[in-house]
């Protein structure tokens, strides 16, 4: 039997809790409220002197990070489920409008950005195995932030990083350009454009953009390393070696970078 969503009404009950006339929506709402209250109590229980005294500082920090990641995943699943309900064609427009206005009032834009950043950090730290799914979720979170405020440069940048990770380079460059248009001195967006060009095989374009970053910051480790990789891919090993040296003088190169640098040196012999 189909639901008549147009008949849904929202009433107030004691304590300013929300009461929906639809039992289905009320059940969903109450479930989310219960999980929120339970999570709050768990965090209070964790933050007790007895536990803190018996856990090493390092273990506590790692425990805290793991717990944060788990709560983040739970919150993400709940958010997806809630959005599937809210975005449904069967839900009346006044509910959707209320949801959007509430998100703006509660500063949800910052929450979406923070969650997208956290996911990218966990990907970089190899703490997440489903790379495709995570990057798609970063794009979704970025789009949600943009929908609430299209004048913030950050979500465009985060979306560009995720698209680069998915090898959708043309789309990622568009997002980096959008970010740069809103914040002209945002060098991370320039680096994003350069990296996307390099990974897409457009080495000359990549070098030109890296040069533009180095004009702003001559000691940009990422730009110097990007130049080195571009020249390496072009088989111009002497130039590549020079930029590897410069990048290493700013910040020590990691094992993977040194492996490429060693190959570069071998080709100079």
């Amino acid at each position: 039997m189909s639901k008549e969503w147009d008949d849904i009404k929202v009433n107030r009950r004691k304590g300013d809790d929300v009461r929906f006339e639809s039992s289905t929506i009320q059940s969903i709402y109450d479930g989310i409220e219960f999980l929120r209250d339970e999570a709050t109590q768990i965090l209070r229980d964790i933050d007790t002197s007895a536990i803190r005294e018996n856990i090493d500082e390092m273990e506590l920090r790692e425990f805290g990070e793991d717990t944060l990641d788990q709560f983040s995943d739970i919150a993400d699943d709940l958010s997806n489920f809630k959005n599937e309900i809210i975005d449904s064609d069967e839900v009346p427009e006044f509910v959707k409008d209320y949801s959007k206005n509430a998100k703006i009032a509660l500063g949800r834009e910052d929450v979406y950005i923070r969650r997208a950043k956290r996911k990218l950090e966990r990907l970089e730290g190899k703490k997440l195995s489903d790379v495709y799914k995570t990057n798609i979720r970063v794009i979704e979170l970025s789009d949600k932030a943009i929908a609430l405020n299209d004048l913030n440069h950050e979500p465009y940048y985060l979306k560009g990083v995720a698209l680069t990770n998915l090898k959708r380079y043309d789309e990622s460059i568009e997002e980096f350009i959008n970010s740069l248009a809103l914040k002209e001195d945002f060098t991370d967006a320039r680096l994003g454009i350069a990296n996307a060009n390099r990974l897409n095989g457009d080495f000359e374009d990549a070098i030109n953009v890296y040069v533009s970053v180095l004009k702003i910051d001559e000691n940009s480790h990422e730009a110097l390393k990007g130049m080195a990789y571009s020249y390496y891919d072009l088989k111009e090993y002497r130039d590549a070696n020079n930029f590897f040296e410069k990048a290493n003088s700013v910040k020590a190169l990691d094992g993977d970078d040194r492996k490429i640098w060693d190959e570069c040196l071998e080709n100079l012999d």
Side-chain angles (χ1 to χ4, degrees), residues 43-242:
L43 289 173
R44 285 174 181 162
D45 292 341
I46 289 172
D47 189 30
T48 63
S49 58
I51 291 179
R52 286 199 302 269
E53 289 172 1
N54 290 284
I55 300 179
D56 179 81
E57 182 181 350
M58 179 64 72
E59 292 177 348
L60 182 60
R61 182 163 60 249
E62 292 176 355
F63 174 74
E65 289 178 355
D66 289 341
T67 302
L68 177 63
D69 290 341
Q70 290 178 31
F71 273 118
S72 177
D73 290 340
I74 292 171
D76 208 39
D77 289 339
L78 282 172
S79 178
N80 277 333
F81 176 66
K82 179 198 67 178
N83 287 331
E84 286 177 7
I85 299 297
I86 294 295
D87 294 337
S88 170
D89 291 337
E90 296 180 325
V91 173
E93 288 301 318
F94 83 88
V95 174
K96 296 180 182 179
D97 292 340
Y98 175 83
S99 176
K100 180 176 180 180
N101 292 334
K103 289 173 184 176
I104 293 173
L106 294 171
R108 292 293 295 177
E109 168 201 352
D110 292 336
V111 174
Y112 293 140
I113 291 172
R114 185 167 63 249
R115 283 164 59 187
K117 284 181 177 178
R118 182 70 177 168
K119 288 187 177 295
L120 288 175
E121 287 170 1
R122 291 172 69 191
L123 264 184
E124 189 174 344
K126 299 182 179 178
K127 293 184 178 181
L128 293 173
S129 57
D130 195 333
V131 175
Y132 177 81
K133 181 180 177 181
T134 301
N135 281 299
I136 290 296
R137 186 56 183 152
V138 170
I139 292 170
E140 292 172 349
L141 290 167
S142 299
D143 281 338
K144 290 179 185 296
I146 292 168
L148 295 178
N149 179 9
D150 60 3
L151 296 179
N152 187 336
H153 69 282
E154 280 195 285
Y156 294 102
Y157 170 75
L158 297 172
K159 184 177 179 180
V161 173
L163 287 166
T164 297
N165 292 341
L166 294 173
K167 300 182 180 180
R168 292 160 58 177
Y169 302 119
D170 290 341
E171 293 175 73
S172 71
I173 289 173
E174 287 182 15
E175 297 302 331
F176 290 133
I177 290 173
N178 288 334
S179 179
L180 200 57
L182 292 168
K183 189 174 181 181
E184 202 170 328
D185 60 347
F186 189 39
T187 55
D188 282 351
R190 290 177 184 266
L191 286 169
I193 294 170
N195 291 336
N197 276 320
R198 177 174 62 80
L199 292 169
N200 200 32
D202 299 324
F203 303 118
E204 296 299 335
D205 288 341
I207 288 171
N208 288 334
V209 183
Y210 285 130
V211 168
S212 75
V213 174
L214 292 171
K215 286 181 180 178
I216 298 171
D217 178 10
E218 63 181 4
N219 292 317
S220 170
H221 177 76
E222 292 302 319
L224 291 168
K225 191 170 70 172
M227 291 282 284
Y229 271 90
S230 297
Y231 281 120
Y232 173 83
D233 289 332
L234 287 168
K235 303 186 186 307
E236 297 180 17
Y237 301 115
R238 192 165 303 280
D239 287 330
N241 176 57
N242 289 337

